[in-house]
Every structure is written in C-alpha cells, then in structure tokens.
Amino acid sequence: MAFNTQRLQFAGHSGATLAARLDVPNGSLRAYALFAHCFTCSKDLAAARRIAAELAREGIAVMRFDFTGLGSSEGEFASTNFSSNIADLLSAADYLRQHYRAPSVLIGHSLGGAAVLAVAKDIPEVRAVATIGAPADVGHVLKNFGTSLEKIEKSGAAEVDLAGRTFLLRKQFVEDARSHRIKDAVASLKKPLLILHAPLDETVGIENANEIFLAARHPKSFISLDKADHLLTDIDDAAFAGRVISGWLTRYLAADTAQGTGVIEHVRVTETGEGKFQNSVQAGSHRLFADEPVNLGGLDTGPSPYDFLSIALGACTSMTLRIYADHKKLTLGRIGVDVSHAKIHVKDCEDCTEAERSASGRIDRFERVISIDGEVSGELRSKIAEIADKCPVHRTLEAVAKIKTTVK
C-alpha cells in the first residue's frame, strides 16, 4: 500500500513548537502509531523513516516527531530530561487524538523505547507497544557521558560529546534519569509488548532486552535483530524491524479492509514519495507498485513500465488461448507465457518487411514463448501460435494507438 508524508507542528510540554511527520496510507487506515526516536536523534533518522514506511504500507499511520530542543523542534535541549520526553509524548498523543485518532500503537527506539514503556499506561487507547534497542534502566544513558558525568555532578552542567555532536547537559537531567524505574512500568504495563534487540548492540547491551522481557507480563514477544547495530544503520535491518512490527500488530489491530474497497473505473498511478521512481498503481480495486530496478535508480519494489507491458501481453495471450480451448472443447494443459522486451535496430528485425528494415532507428520487440503442459500435436501447436497473434493486446501493440492527454 502506498502512503504520503505530511509535515505537522504541535505544542510540546513546555509550549515549544515541535516538528513532526505523519506517514499516512493512501488506502484503508487501520490505526495510528506514535514513534519515539533515540536519545539525541531525530524523527528523520533513516531507521525511523524506513520503519514508519513499512507500517504505513500495512495501513498504519505513523507520527514521528522531534523531542523538545532536537531536530527541527523549538526549545532548549539542556532544559529537557526523560520526564519532559514523556510529557512530549503525551502532547503528541493529545494532538493525534484531537486532529486524527488517538494512537493505538507506541513504538520507541533506544531511550525512546524506555519512554514509550513509561508513558503507555497514561494513554488509554494504546493497544500494543514495541521497543527497539531499549534500555531497561534510564540511567543506562549516563554511561555514554564518560568523564563528563563527574563534571555535571560537581559543577551542575557540562558539555557532552555524543555520536560526534556536543550537547549541554545539566545535573537535573542526571537526577531525573536516575529517578525512573522502567522495569516497574513494564511489570504494570498490561499491554502486549514486542521487544526487538540486536545481540551485538554495543550501545545498549542485549542484557537490557532480557531484563525487560522478564519484567513484562504475557503477551510478550522477543525478536533478535541478529547483526544489526544500535541505530539500524543498515536499511535492510530497519526494514526487517518494520515488517516484524507490522506483522506482530495484526494480532492486536483490526484487520485490513479487503482490497476491493474504493473501486475506480480506470487506472490511477501516483508517486509515493518513497525513492526516486516508486509509484502506487490502482487498477479498479487492485493495488500494486510500479518502480525501476536499483541499477536504474529505483527501489525495485514493483514491475517497471515495460514489465507491465510484457505482463499485459503475456496475460492476454494466456486468457485468449484458454477461451479458444474452452470454445473448441480442447483438453489443453496449463498455459504459460514468457515475454521479454528489447529495443532493436530495425535492420536487425527478422520479422519486419524489407520496406520496414530500410528505415533507421530502433523498434520495440516483444519475444513471446508459449508453453503448454502435456503433449501438443504439431497441428495444434501451429493453431496456438495463430490464435495468440489474435489476442487484443497483441493487436494493440502492433497497431498505431492514439493517446489523448489532459493536464489538470
């Protein structure tokens, strides 16, 4: 399912304007999810974008936002702490509740995972919670401060280098982090919990996942992210996490509506905003993607335009032959049609007339190979080739078509 991304703004806990993005499915909408990013990260982290995209394709709208003082949000980061992150999450949930629908899913990455565990009890509409690389103790984040932690405790504030960026942190942040008991929140969660963690995570060790899992009540699930790093910098790892979360959520959310919803009388092709060439295709009640291969700059998420032409020829050929066999009461085995497309020089066209080969330039050539299960006589084989040439799409491709274009 295709989706579109909307830019939003809402007031955070302190009144500062927070920047958000809402990835909304173009088709049926099953639920809204709220995504909390990792410590000092932003809503635009590659992993956050990909996970949100995977959920949106499954009919789940995802709002991801920058906490106060981070990314594109207003406010002073030095004045924030874990408690303010929780307050920002509540503000985000209120915004969704007032303007769209309250979130029924919470997803948190790293410290954002700890935040959604802590806040879940305060959002009654939440039906399921998922964490990625979350610490079992908020104080775990203080280990990343190194020698700066001692400076903060002595002087009240210090600059801390985190992932190549410098942040001013105050003593109130440290004291607030130490005051939270995430495992207590997990024990009283009373909501389905999915824990995703990488065994090789060097930032938040795998033992944190074990502690959270043991503290949680059933239903609870754990998925290993194998060789992924903490930030899921490999996009395949992020995509896997997104697919696992969306699959797990099928047990706790309303089922997706049938594909037949929202029938149109024609074919509609719309850019999704994902990748350079990906388009959503709706034909009647059916939905799929059109794209280009990776080597041409696409994501390879669907057939290319010329692939669709080949599909049309192959499908039409098979259907035409089946109609003929039924009409003639022929016992014809399963029909298969392989179609390949190429652009060739006119002079190399074996099936072209002398007059056609004398022209310059290239032409489109579709090569069709028909296979029939079982024995087929030579006479019937010739008839099959003759009938295949009468398929409507075959005739359309060989004729000169007219295309009328209107720009609205």
Side-chain angles (χ1 to χ4, degrees), residues 13-332:
H13 76 283
S14 65
T17 299
L18 305 188
R21 295 189 189 277
L22 181 65
D23 298 303
V24 185
N26 287 341
S28 57
L29 181 59
R30 298 168 62 192
Y32 280 82
L34 191 55
F35 186 98
H37 63 69
C38 51
F39 182 54
T40 71
C41 298
S42 83
K43 66 183 183 308
D44 297 315
L45 187 73
R49 295 200 310 270
R50 190 54 186 265
I51 291 169
E54 293 294 338
L55 268 68
R57 290 192 187 105
E58 296 300 322
I60 302 169
V62 182
M63 185 169 117
R64 44 195 169 95
F65 70 97
D66 293 328
F67 285 110
T68 300
L70 291 172
S72 301
S73 289
E74 295 179 349
E76 183 186 16
F77 177 75
S79 299
T80 66
N81 51 38
F82 188 73
S83 293
S84 70
N85 286 350
I86 291 174
D88 279 347
L89 276 168
L90 288 172
S91 297
D94 283 340
Y95 178 83
L96 281 176
R97 187 181 292 112
Q98 293 170 17
H99 295 86
Y100 298 92
R101 192 191 309 169
S104 49
V105 180
L106 295 180
I107 305 168
H109 184 191
S110 191
L111 193 62
V116 299
L117 290 172
V119 79
K121 67 181 185 302
D122 298 319
I123 306 176
E125 298 91 343
V126 169
R127 301 181 63 183
V129 180
T131 65
I132 305 165
D137 176 14
V138 180
H140 183 281
V141 73
L142 304 179
K143 297 178 182 179
N144 298 317
F145 295 1
T147 57
S148 297
L149 180 58
E150 186 177 348
K151 295 179 182 178
I152 293 172
E153 293 180 314
K154 284 185 176 180
S155 60
E159 290 190 340
V160 180
D161 181 64
L162 298 169
R165 293 182 297 164
T166 301
F167 296 89
L168 177 65
L169 290 169
R170 299 192 173 114
K171 191 174 182 178
Q172 59 85 19
F173 182 98
V174 175
E175 293 174 342
D176 180 79
R178 288 172 173 165
S179 69
H180 288 274
R181 299 289 180 266
I182 295 302
K183 283 184 282 188
D184 291 345
V186 172
S188 59
L189 187 59
K190 297 181 181 179
K191 300 177 190 292
L193 173 64
L194 174 64
I195 302 163
L196 298 97
H197 213 112
L200 302 180
D201 191 330
E202 296 181 351
T203 304
V204 179
I206 188 66
E207 66 277 4
N208 287 269
N210 185 54
E211 291 180 39
I212 294 173
F213 188 84
L214 292 176
R217 298 180 180 181
H218 286 289
K220 56 184 177 180
S221 304
F222 171 76
I223 294 293
S224 173
L225 295 177
D226 298 336
K227 297 181 180 180
D229 60 19
H230 182 65
L231 294 180
L232 305 185
T233 51
D234 187 329
I235 205 66
D236 289 337
D237 291 327
F240 173 75
R243 290 193 296 270
V244 167
I245 294 170
S246 61
W248 173 77
L249 284 172
T250 59
R251 295 186 64 86
Y252 308 108
L253 300 179
D256 197 3
T257 56
Q259 197 178 48
T261 301
V263 177
I264 61 175
E265 296 181 354
H266 52 278
V267 173
R268 178 180 296 143
V269 180
T270 310
E271 284 189 319
T272 66
E274 184 79 3
K276 185 177 181 180
F277 296 119
Q278 188 188 78
N279 278 259
S280 65
V281 180
Q282 183 176 359
S285 62
H286 308 289
R287 296 175 175 84
L288 58 159
F289 284 132
D291 207 340
E292 288 286 2
V294 174
N295 64 331
L296 294 180
L299 299 176
D300 199 23
T301 56
S304 71
Y306 275 107
D307 287 338
F308 275 108
L309 274 179
S310 297
I311 291 168
L313 177 59
C316 181
T317 300
S318 178
M319 294 174 187
T320 300
L321 291 175
R322 181 53 60 194
I323 291 171
Y324 173 77
D326 289 350
H327 177 69
K328 294 295 185 178
K329 295 181 171 52
L330 298 175
T331 303
L332 202 62

Side-chain angles (χ1 to χ4, degrees), residues 338-390:
D338 291 323
V339 180
S340 59
H341 167 263
K343 285 187 176 291
I344 63 171
H345 290 285
V346 178
K347 63 181 180 180
D348 297 327
C349 176
E350 298 175 357
D351 301 323
C352 294
T353 64
E354 287 294 333
E356 289 172 332
R357 281 200 294 269
S358 64
S360 60
R362 294 172 177 264
I363 61 170
D364 291 287
R365 181 186 179 187
F366 292 88
E367 185 171 347
R368 177 176 54 192
V369 178
I370 301 169
S371 58
I372 309 291
D373 285 354
E375 293 293 327
V376 179
S377 66
E379 182 181 353
L380 181 55
R381 198 178 300 274
S382 298
K383 192 64 179 179
I384 286 172
E386 177 188 336
I387 298 301
D389 288 348
K390 295 180 180 180

